Amino acid sequence: MNRVIPSRRAFWVLTALFILVCVTGAAWANRFLRQPALTPAIRGEAVARKLGCFACHGAEGQGGIADPGARGGKVPGWGGPTVSSYAKNEQEIREWILDGAPRRLKEAGAAHPPFIPMPAYRGRLDDRELSDLVAYFTAVSGGFGDVPEAAYEGRAIAARLGCFGCHGPSGAGGGPNPGSFKGHIPAWDGEEFLELVRDDAELREWILDGHAKRLWDNPAARHFLEGQVVQMPAYRPHLKEDEVGKLVAYIRWLRKK
Amino acid sequence: MMRKRMAGILLAAVLAANLLRSDAVSTAPVAPAGRSAAPVYRSPNHVCLSADGLKAYVVNSTSNSVSILDIRDRKVVGEIPVGERPVHAAVSREGRFLYVSCTWAGDVEVIDLAEGRVVRKILAGDEPYGVTVSRDGRRLFVANAVSDTVSVIESESGKTLSEIPVGHFPRDIAETADGSRLLVSNGLSRGMSVLDPATGKEVERRDLGRASITRQVAVTRDGHWAFVAGILSHDETPSLQMERGWIHSNGFSVADLTRPGHRVTLLLDRLLSGAANPWGLLLSADEKHLYVSLSGVHEVAIVDVAECLKLVAETTPDQVKPLEQDVEVLEKRNIAKRFDAGGLGPRGMALSEATGELLVANYFSDSVSVLDAATGALRATIPLGPPQEMSLWRKGELLFNDARITYQTWFTCTSCHQEDASVDGLNWDLPNDGIGNPKSAKSLHDAYDTAPAMWSGIRANMDAAIAAGQRFQGFLPDPANHRALVEYLGNPERAPNPFLRRGAEARQRGEQVFVSAGCDVCHPAPKYTDLKLHDLGFGTPDDYRSRFDTPSLREVYRSGPWLHDGRALTLRSIFSDHNPQDLHGHTKGLTEQELDDLVAFLRGL
């Protein structure tokens, strides 16, 4: 059998290819390693942490500590269904935060004042902190207003499948992820989303296969996709076709808001 | 309120004036409050006979009066004003008094027929509907539709001897000849109550299978057989096809009272034409014929009782179900024949043995028709007043009750919503929001100002829902019909709330609970809905959606069972049993007293 010795020409071709890969790889790395701008909701989480909201309302506002004086026996969480009997609209959320209760309830006179009162934070946070905090609260609760049916059901599916555990409440952006493009699990909105997801077809690929084919086929991008500590799961076996549609509708609705 | 009372007084005056003129047929209609320009219709709901069988007393439900007919002369000889919304009546044994149940007035009014006026008002329960005089004449039995009870009342003193809990929305009562049992049709429960009036207890709830909105009930003299008219509602099946009665079929049930649990249901439909909405039901004195009025198809059925009972007797338990699915059984076997009722909306009937004639109260024609009791031939129609043109609203009411706008006349809107556009208490699997997720029929009284419509909000508003409803019934929406239905449902008629007559303090305390539990966030006054869909964990694996349209709480006292799939059988259980995660208002930890108060408040809405 003849041993094939690479020719000079072949050597140069390979070298050129190698350089090309390095350059594109660097370009990819550069694009993705930029520090992403924090979303208001992510900033709001820091505000909540600083102000001690989670001490009473539970980690990430998922349901609070015992309140033996309250009828329900605990400090309410910030989940949408819970909030729906506490606040009519976003304005009332602001009133809860600033005054410890909305005006509507103060006027009616509480029949059951809680044993652990909700503090009034007026004067303890500035306007930007307040609006970030409300953005975070809105992300946790799913928000007010008229969510279209498909989007709402998409949100329910996302909650059921645990998407928010990685991607943050309402996909507002997740925790650190060493070895990934961004160093954290990306949000479903903003610039970083646009880079990773070009259109609905790619969004479906992410959800069903755990990656977009365009990136998977790119060696440098693939390096990150395979190397990151937390991997995006491929949900294909766990989703029916109409459920994928609803997830896509939800993410699209979030981005339009 | 004031206007209503004024209208009542005016009407009384007009009627009295007419009575004084010997040739009088009351003429001048008086407008009720609310629909000012509309003429007053009489809307006869029931008719009964004098002791000699020669006079008929017609209960006019919307003119709040009783017309007196001379049967042989075929004319109205008098009209007596009574309380609001009379629906049913019975003559005392000696024939001197007429007991008239007035649902809205909330009493049974006693007319002294010699004096031609109401001489006493007897308080029964809430919305007294059917009234029956005991065989010995000493007691009155009254079905209280909203209290879900039957009152046993001493006729002489008007004193309530006992109030017996029965099924939901009791309508009509029959007493066995020996007085040992009362049979009660429950309009919104699928069973007939069998009561022992001596002990004041319900001794059996005779299951009637898929029967729904059952109406009048009769029993043979030997106390052996009971008959009850009703719809058969196939809510167990997705409401996809109405042919062969697969949404509704129509007939009556026969129960052998000597055998607990026995029941056979027979249908009066035909293969290509349903017998929508059986209402009145009576047995001839010789028990040879059973008469059933079919209010949605404007017909009366005459049933051969001997043949019918033969069929019932030979029906083995395993044949009960196939038999009740045979929509042409009585026609094929020549056991029943259907005849034109001689008017629109035939409801209550009376049989004059003296003249051999069947009298039929035709609600929408404002007339009583006289049929030959043997042949079913129409002998005469007696108008209860001068002819009046139907207002658009009235046309809508008629269409709502009329099976002619349904393919093959299988049913009417009222087959699911009752004659007052409310509820039937059943869960229906309508295809409009996907199949396999049945939902409780909603009252239509709130549709006009609480868009979207349906639990899933699948119809943008009432207009769209009415159009869809016409398609559901098998026809393209007809513009004229559509306008009338929009007018009718757009101006719903609400019964006065009986719970407002008592318990003001509890209601006030309940309102506090309502607000502090956060109920008012999604159910704000005055509509008691925020018009939005919410996800409070009520969805089941059958549902395609997690959110449901927030229902209005107006008239919530009469719209049960509650929640989108009717899972709550009492208002209280909505909070005590069906709010485990404390998401539907924070009602966890409410004291018994607070729950009672909350329910009192809700009932008053």
Side-chain angles (χ1 to χ4, degrees), chain A residues 79-88 104 144, chain B residues 518-522 530 534-536 583-586:
Chain A
T82 303
V83 177
S84 62
S85 59
Y86 281 90
K88 280 180 192 268
R104 174 178 55 85
F144 292 94
Chain B
C519 311
D520 66 323
V521 176
C522 298
D530 63 355
H534 289 284
D535 173 5
L536 303 175
L583 297 176
H584 183 214
H586 11 295

PDB file of all heavy atoms in Angstrom, chain A residues 79-88 104 144, chain B residues 518-522 530 534-536 583-586:
ATOM      1  N   GLY A  79     -46.445  34.048  42.411  1.00  0.00           N
ATOM      2  CA  GLY A  79     -46.939  33.356  41.212  1.00  0.00           C
ATOM      3  C   GLY A  79     -48.226  33.994  40.722  1.00  0.00           C
ATOM      4  O   GLY A  79     -49.015  34.506  41.519  1.00  0.00           O
ATOM      5  N   GLY A  80     -48.433  33.939  39.408  1.00  0.00           N
ATOM      6  CA  GLY A  80     -49.589  34.607  38.802  1.00  0.00           C
ATOM      7  C   GLY A  80     -50.914  34.287  39.471  1.00  0.00           C
ATOM      8  O   GLY A  80     -51.654  35.189  39.854  1.00  0.00           O
ATOM      9  N   PRO A  81     -51.267  33.001  39.633  1.00  0.00           N
ATOM     10  CA  PRO A  81     -52.558  32.673  40.235  1.00  0.00           C
ATOM     11  C   PRO A  81     -52.708  33.249  41.642  1.00  0.00           C
ATOM     12  O   PRO A  81     -53.781  33.697  42.022  1.00  0.00           O
ATOM     13  CB  PRO A  81     -52.549  31.147  40.262  1.00  0.00           C
ATOM     14  CG  PRO A  81     -51.664  30.759  39.133  1.00  0.00           C
ATOM     15  CD  PRO A  81     -50.591  31.799  39.113  1.00  0.00           C
ATOM     16  N   THR A  82     -51.604  33.270  42.405  1.00  0.00           N
ATOM     17  CA  THR A  82     -51.683  33.848  43.754  1.00  0.00           C
ATOM     18  C   THR A  82     -51.927  35.347  43.672  1.00  0.00           C
ATOM     19  O   THR A  82     -52.815  35.895  44.328  1.00  0.00           O
ATOM     20  CB  THR A  82     -50.366  33.594  44.526  1.00  0.00           C
ATOM     21  OG1 THR A  82     -50.134  32.203  44.561  1.00  0.00           O
ATOM     22  CG2 THR A  82     -50.461  34.135  45.943  1.00  0.00           C
ATOM     23  N   VAL A  83     -51.138  35.990  42.838  1.00  0.00           N
ATOM     24  CA  VAL A  83     -51.238  37.445  42.752  1.00  0.00           C
ATOM     25  C   VAL A  83     -52.629  37.870  42.300  1.00  0.00           C
ATOM     26  O   VAL A  83     -53.131  38.924  42.691  1.00  0.00           O
ATOM     27  CB  VAL A  83     -50.179  38.004  41.773  1.00  0.00           C
ATOM     28  CG1 VAL A  83     -50.333  39.504  41.626  1.00  0.00           C
ATOM     29  CG2 VAL A  83     -48.789  37.663  42.261  1.00  0.00           C
ATOM     30  N   SER A  84     -53.298  37.006  41.506  1.00  0.00           N
ATOM     31  CA  SER A  84     -54.549  37.471  40.906  1.00  0.00           C
ATOM     32  C   SER A  84     -55.595  37.821  41.941  1.00  0.00           C
ATOM     33  O   SER A  84     -56.506  38.582  41.643  1.00  0.00           O
ATOM     34  CB  SER A  84     -55.087  36.451  39.887  1.00  0.00           C
ATOM     35  OG  SER A  84     -55.379  35.247  40.527  1.00  0.00           O
ATOM     36  N   SER A  85     -55.491  37.332  43.171  1.00  0.00           N
ATOM     37  CA  SER A  85     -56.471  37.800  44.150  1.00  0.00           C
ATOM     38  C   SER A  85     -55.887  38.868  45.082  1.00  0.00           C
ATOM     39  O   SER A  85     -56.535  39.266  46.038  1.00  0.00           O
ATOM     40  CB  SER A  85     -57.046  36.624  44.946  1.00  0.00           C
ATOM     41  OG  SER A  85     -56.031  35.939  45.619  1.00  0.00           O
ATOM     42  N   TYR A  86     -54.660  39.323  44.802  1.00  0.00           N
ATOM     43  CA  TYR A  86     -54.072  40.388  45.627  1.00  0.00           C
ATOM     44  C   TYR A  86     -53.989  41.736  44.919  1.00  0.00           C
ATOM     45  O   TYR A  86     -53.977  42.774  45.552  1.00  0.00           O
ATOM     46  CB  TYR A  86     -52.661  39.995  46.090  1.00  0.00           C
ATOM     47  CG  TYR A  86     -52.657  39.031  47.248  1.00  0.00           C
ATOM     48  CD1 TYR A  86     -52.651  37.662  47.034  1.00  0.00           C
ATOM     49  CD2 TYR A  86     -52.676  39.495  48.560  1.00  0.00           C
ATOM     50  CE1 TYR A  86     -52.664  36.770  48.097  1.00  0.00           C
ATOM     51  CE2 TYR A  86     -52.685  38.617  49.635  1.00  0.00           C
ATOM     52  CZ  TYR A  86     -52.676  37.255  49.394  1.00  0.00           C
ATOM     53  OH  TYR A  86     -52.699  36.387  50.451  1.00  0.00           O
ATOM     54  N   ALA A  87     -53.877  41.692  43.610  1.00  0.00           N
ATOM     55  CA  ALA A  87     -53.673  42.951  42.887  1.00  0.00           C
ATOM     56  C   ALA A  87     -54.413  42.931  41.565  1.00  0.00           C
ATOM     57  O   ALA A  87     -54.398  41.933  40.859  1.00  0.00           O
ATOM     58  CB  ALA A  87     -52.183  43.169  42.653  1.00  0.00           C
ATOM     59  N   LYS A  88     -55.069  44.050  41.271  1.00  0.00           N
ATOM     60  CA  LYS A  88     -55.829  44.160  40.027  1.00  0.00           C
ATOM     61  C   LYS A  88     -54.934  44.454  38.838  1.00  0.00           C
ATOM     62  O   LYS A  88     -55.267  44.108  37.718  1.00  0.00           O
ATOM     63  CB  LYS A  88     -56.836  45.313  40.125  1.00  0.00           C
ATOM     64  CG  LYS A  88     -58.098  45.010  40.876  1.00  0.00           C
ATOM     65  CD  LYS A  88     -58.966  46.274  40.853  1.00  0.00           C
ATOM     66  CE  LYS A  88     -60.104  46.164  41.801  1.00  0.00           C
ATOM     67  NZ  LYS A  88     -61.332  45.670  41.358  1.00  0.00           N
ATOM     68  N   ARG A 104     -56.956  50.334  47.610  1.00  0.00           N
ATOM     69  CA  ARG A 104     -58.252  49.665  47.622  1.00  0.00           C
ATOM     70  C   ARG A 104     -58.465  48.882  48.920  1.00  0.00           C
ATOM     71  O   ARG A 104     -59.514  48.965  49.545  1.00  0.00           O
ATOM     72  CB  ARG A 104     -58.314  48.716  46.414  1.00  0.00           C
ATOM     73  CG  ARG A 104     -59.513  47.814  46.324  1.00  0.00           C
ATOM     74  CD  ARG A 104     -59.436  46.975  45.045  1.00  0.00           C
ATOM     75  NE  ARG A 104     -58.185  46.219  44.942  1.00  0.00           N
ATOM     76  CZ  ARG A 104     -57.991  45.029  45.509  1.00  0.00           C
ATOM     77  NH1 ARG A 104     -58.936  44.467  46.204  1.00  0.00           N
ATOM     78  NH2 ARG A 104     -56.830  44.406  45.377  1.00  0.00           N
ATOM     79  N   PHE A 144     -49.536  41.104  34.036  1.00  0.00           N
ATOM     80  CA  PHE A 144     -50.948  41.442  33.929  1.00  0.00           C
ATOM     81  C   PHE A 144     -51.318  41.614  32.469  1.00  0.00           C
ATOM     82  O   PHE A 144     -50.509  41.428  31.597  1.00  0.00           O
ATOM     83  CB  PHE A 144     -51.238  42.735  34.692  1.00  0.00           C
ATOM     84  CG  PHE A 144     -51.079  42.559  36.160  1.00  0.00           C
ATOM     85  CD1 PHE A 144     -49.889  42.854  36.771  1.00  0.00           C
ATOM     86  CD2 PHE A 144     -52.123  42.045  36.909  1.00  0.00           C
ATOM     87  CE1 PHE A 144     -49.744  42.667  38.126  1.00  0.00           C
ATOM     88  CE2 PHE A 144     -51.975  41.856  38.260  1.00  0.00           C
ATOM     89  CZ  PHE A 144     -50.782  42.174  38.873  1.00  0.00           C
TER      90      PHE A 144
ATOM     91  N   GLY B 518     -60.071  38.949  48.677  1.00  0.00           N
ATOM     92  CA  GLY B 518     -59.599  39.294  47.341  1.00  0.00           C
ATOM     93  C   GLY B 518     -60.547  38.899  46.232  1.00  0.00           C
ATOM     94  O   GLY B 518     -60.193  38.951  45.056  1.00  0.00           O
ATOM     95  N   CYS B 519     -61.769  38.503  46.571  1.00  0.00           N
ATOM     96  CA  CYS B 519     -62.726  38.085  45.538  1.00  0.00           C
ATOM     97  C   CYS B 519     -63.023  39.225  44.563  1.00  0.00           C
ATOM     98  O   CYS B 519     -63.224  39.003  43.370  1.00  0.00           O
ATOM     99  CB  CYS B 519     -64.040  37.627  46.163  1.00  0.00           C
ATOM    100  SG  CYS B 519     -63.860  36.462  47.514  1.00  0.00           S
ATOM    101  N   ASP B 520     -63.083  40.453  45.143  1.00  0.00           N
ATOM    102  CA  ASP B 520     -63.496  41.595  44.316  1.00  0.00           C
ATOM    103  C   ASP B 520     -62.447  41.964  43.279  1.00  0.00           C
ATOM    104  O   ASP B 520     -62.715  42.753  42.384  1.00  0.00           O
ATOM    105  CB  ASP B 520     -63.808  42.804  45.196  1.00  0.00           C
ATOM    106  CG  ASP B 520     -62.557  43.321  45.887  1.00  0.00           C
ATOM    107  OD1 ASP B 520     -61.717  42.477  46.271  1.00  0.00           O
ATOM    108  OD2 ASP B 520     -62.405  44.544  46.029  1.00  0.00           O
ATOM    109  N   VAL B 521     -61.242  41.400  43.402  1.00  0.00           N
ATOM    110  CA  VAL B 521     -60.230  41.720  42.395  1.00  0.00           C
ATOM    111  C   VAL B 521     -60.698  41.229  41.026  1.00  0.00           C
ATOM    112  O   VAL B 521     -60.647  41.951  40.035  1.00  0.00           O
ATOM    113  CB  VAL B 521     -58.874  41.088  42.767  1.00  0.00           C
ATOM    114  CG1 VAL B 521     -57.859  41.335  41.668  1.00  0.00           C
ATOM    115  CG2 VAL B 521     -58.377  41.655  44.079  1.00  0.00           C
ATOM    116  N   CYS B 522     -61.174  40.010  40.972  1.00  0.00           N
ATOM    117  CA  CYS B 522     -61.641  39.464  39.693  1.00  0.00           C
ATOM    118  C   CYS B 522     -63.162  39.583  39.522  1.00  0.00           C
ATOM    119  O   CYS B 522     -63.662  39.477  38.411  1.00  0.00           O
ATOM    120  CB  CYS B 522     -61.254  38.006  39.562  1.00  0.00           C
ATOM    121  SG  CYS B 522     -59.481  37.741  39.573  1.00  0.00           S
ATOM    122  N   ASP B 530     -64.327  40.711  36.008  1.00  0.00           N
ATOM    123  CA  ASP B 530     -63.359  41.637  35.391  1.00  0.00           C
ATOM    124  C   ASP B 530     -63.260  41.360  33.895  1.00  0.00           C
ATOM    125  O   ASP B 530     -62.407  41.917  33.223  1.00  0.00           O
ATOM    126  CB  ASP B 530     -61.990  41.512  36.051  1.00  0.00           C
ATOM    127  CG  ASP B 530     -61.378  40.126  35.878  1.00  0.00           C
ATOM    128  OD1 ASP B 530     -62.060  39.229  35.324  1.00  0.00           O
ATOM    129  OD2 ASP B 530     -60.228  39.924  36.286  1.00  0.00           O
ATOM    130  N   HIS B 534     -58.781  33.705  33.821  1.00  0.00           N
ATOM    131  CA  HIS B 534     -57.775  33.510  34.861  1.00  0.00           C
ATOM    132  C   HIS B 534     -57.465  32.030  35.031  1.00  0.00           C
ATOM    133  O   HIS B 534     -58.292  31.175  34.776  1.00  0.00           O
ATOM    134  CB  HIS B 534     -58.259  34.069  36.197  1.00  0.00           C
ATOM    135  CG  HIS B 534     -58.305  35.566  36.217  1.00  0.00           C
ATOM    136  ND1 HIS B 534     -57.181  36.336  36.337  1.00  0.00           N
ATOM    137  CD2 HIS B 534     -59.349  36.425  36.112  1.00  0.00           C
ATOM    138  CE1 HIS B 534     -57.528  37.613  36.313  1.00  0.00           C
ATOM    139  NE2 HIS B 534     -58.843  37.692  36.175  1.00  0.00           N
ATOM    140  N   ASP B 535     -56.253  31.797  35.509  1.00  0.00           N
ATOM    141  CA  ASP B 535     -55.786  30.435  35.747  1.00  0.00           C
ATOM    142  C   ASP B 535     -55.649  30.250  37.250  1.00  0.00           C
ATOM    143  O   ASP B 535     -54.729  30.768  37.860  1.00  0.00           O
ATOM    144  CB  ASP B 535     -54.432  30.264  35.061  1.00  0.00           C
ATOM    145  CG  ASP B 535     -53.780  28.935  35.390  1.00  0.00           C
ATOM    146  OD1 ASP B 535     -54.413  28.108  36.072  1.00  0.00           O
ATOM    147  OD2 ASP B 535     -52.638  28.734  34.959  1.00  0.00           O
ATOM    148  N   LEU B 536     -56.611  29.560  37.852  1.00  0.00           N
ATOM    149  CA  LEU B 536     -56.567  29.385  39.305  1.00  0.00           C
ATOM    150  C   LEU B 536     -56.430  27.915  39.661  1.00  0.00           C
ATOM    151  O   LEU B 536     -56.856  27.467  40.724  1.00  0.00           O
ATOM    152  CB  LEU B 536     -57.828  29.989  39.938  1.00  0.00           C
ATOM    153  CG  LEU B 536     -58.021  31.475  39.607  1.00  0.00           C
ATOM    154  CD1 LEU B 536     -59.332  31.978  40.154  1.00  0.00           C
ATOM    155  CD2 LEU B 536     -56.870  32.303  40.161  1.00  0.00           C
ATOM    156  N   LEU B 583     -55.989  29.632  45.828  1.00  0.00           N
ATOM    157  CA  LEU B 583     -55.746  30.546  44.711  1.00  0.00           C
ATOM    158  C   LEU B 583     -57.016  31.281  44.287  1.00  0.00           C
ATOM    159  O   LEU B 583     -56.960  32.381  43.763  1.00  0.00           O
ATOM    160  CB  LEU B 583     -55.204  29.775  43.498  1.00  0.00           C
ATOM    161  CG  LEU B 583     -53.848  29.102  43.709  1.00  0.00           C
ATOM    162  CD1 LEU B 583     -53.470  28.288  42.488  1.00  0.00           C
ATOM    163  CD2 LEU B 583     -52.795  30.147  44.012  1.00  0.00           C
ATOM    164  N   HIS B 584     -58.171  30.649  44.498  1.00  0.00           N
ATOM    165  CA  HIS B 584     -59.441  31.257  44.094  1.00  0.00           C
ATOM    166  C   HIS B 584     -59.946  32.119  45.243  1.00  0.00           C
ATOM    167  O   HIS B 584     -60.888  31.795  45.941  1.00  0.00           O
ATOM    168  CB  HIS B 584     -60.453  30.141  43.762  1.00  0.00           C
ATOM    169  CG  HIS B 584     -61.774  30.654  43.275  1.00  0.00           C
ATOM    170  ND1 HIS B 584     -62.960  30.042  43.552  1.00  0.00           N
ATOM    171  CD2 HIS B 584     -62.088  31.740  42.541  1.00  0.00           C
ATOM    172  CE1 HIS B 584     -63.952  30.714  43.014  1.00  0.00           C
ATOM    173  NE2 HIS B 584     -63.453  31.751  42.388  1.00  0.00           N
ATOM    174  N   GLY B 585     -59.277  33.248  45.436  1.00  0.00           N
ATOM    175  CA  GLY B 585     -59.519  34.055  46.630  1.00  0.00           C
ATOM    176  C   GLY B 585     -58.799  33.402  47.790  1.00  0.00           C
ATOM    177  O   GLY B 585     -58.675  32.182  47.829  1.00  0.00           O
ATOM    178  N   HIS B 586     -58.275  34.218  48.737  1.00  0.00           N
ATOM    179  CA  HIS B 586     -57.625  33.554  49.883  1.00  0.00           C
ATOM    180  C   HIS B 586     -58.688  33.243  50.916  1.00  0.00           C
ATOM    181  O   HIS B 586     -58.984  34.044  51.785  1.00  0.00           O
ATOM    182  CB  HIS B 586     -56.467  34.341  50.474  1.00  0.00           C
ATOM    183  CG  HIS B 586     -56.335  35.753  49.981  1.00  0.00           C
ATOM    184  ND1 HIS B 586     -56.039  36.071  48.684  1.00  0.00           N
ATOM    185  CD2 HIS B 586     -56.474  36.924  50.616  1.00  0.00           C
ATOM    186  CE1 HIS B 586     -56.010  37.370  48.546  1.00  0.00           C
ATOM    187  NE2 HIS B 586     -56.274  37.917  49.700  1.00  0.00           N
TER     188      HIS B 586
END
